[in-house]
Amino acid sequence: MQINRTASAHWTGGLKDGKGLISTQSGALTDYPYGFASRFEGIPGTNPEELIGAAHAGCFTMALSLILGEAGFTAEHMETSAKVTLESVEGGFAVTAIHLSLSGRIPGADEATFTELANKAKAGCPISKALAAVPITLDVKLA
């Protein structure tokens, strides 16, 4: 099975004064603004790192749901945040770390089991695999 998803970016202008628009095939984002100011100066709009974080948190949590089910558990609630770190390094900027923070209510699971299964999901989710060049850390809290 092969699944293809598409997204696009449109840009006009220079780096600092330019403006971009991001769109996704699903329509979840349609001509959503991004640019230098939203990436580096906290101005409203999105940025590539935020989008990577959303994709990673979503993929990881979905993968964990599968792994929990295979282990006989069903999540009552799970919440994952992803902190994507962009830093100035020699030669420019780079994503240098991703930290996933997970909390969840999993009836019947103890903290050690939840942590073990979450680490399995972190290693196996397709977005984690795609981002393997970046150190990915995880903290887990059973609510």
Side-chain angles (χ1 to χ4, degrees), residues 112-130:
T113 300
F114 188 40
T115 299
E116 175 187 338
L117 297 175
N119 276 299
K120 186 176 176 183
K122 178 178 77 89
C125 107
I127 301 297
S128 288
K129 290 177 183 179

Side-chain angles (χ1 to χ4, degrees), residues 61 65 107 127:
T61 308
S65 179
I127 301 297

Side-chain angles (χ1 to χ4, degrees), residues 102-112 114-115 140-143:
L102 166 69
S103 67
R105 260 188 308 268
I106 316 299
D110 60 25
E111 189 107 17
F114 188 40
T115 299
V140 178
K141 180 182 174 196
L142 196 57

Side-chain angles (χ1 to χ4, degrees), residues 27-139:
L29 297 174
T30 302
D31 292 337
Y32 200 85
Y34 81 104
F36 185 89
S38 64
R39 193 172 194 185
F40 295 104
E41 298 170 354
I43 301 301
T46 192
N47 56 73
E49 294 74 34
E50 176 180 75
L51 296 170
I52 288 170
H56 200 182
C59 182
F60 163 77
T61 308
M62 192 178 232
L64 180 53
S65 179
L66 169 68
I67 290 168
L68 287 167
E70 290 172 345
F73 301 104
T74 300
E76 185 178 304
H77 169 82
M78 288 191 291
E79 176 115 11
T80 304
S81 65
K83 177 181 172 185
V84 178
T85 302
L86 178 70
E87 290 185 283
S88 178
V89 297
E90 186 177 325
F93 281 86
V95 172
T96 58
I98 299 172
H99 181 73
L100 301 171
S101 292
L102 166 69
S103 67
R105 260 188 308 268
I106 316 299
D110 60 25
E111 189 107 17
T113 300
F114 188 40
T115 299
E116 175 187 338
L117 297 175
N119 276 299
K120 186 176 176 183
K122 178 178 77 89
C125 107
I127 301 297
S128 288
K129 290 177 183 179
L131 300 171
V134 178
I136 300 169
T137 55
L138 170 66
D139 66 65

Side-chain angles (χ1 to χ4, degrees), residues 6-9 21-25 29-32:
T6 61
S8 62
L21 300 170
I22 292 177
S23 297
T24 58
Q25 175 184 347
L29 297 174
T30 302
D31 292 337
Y32 200 85

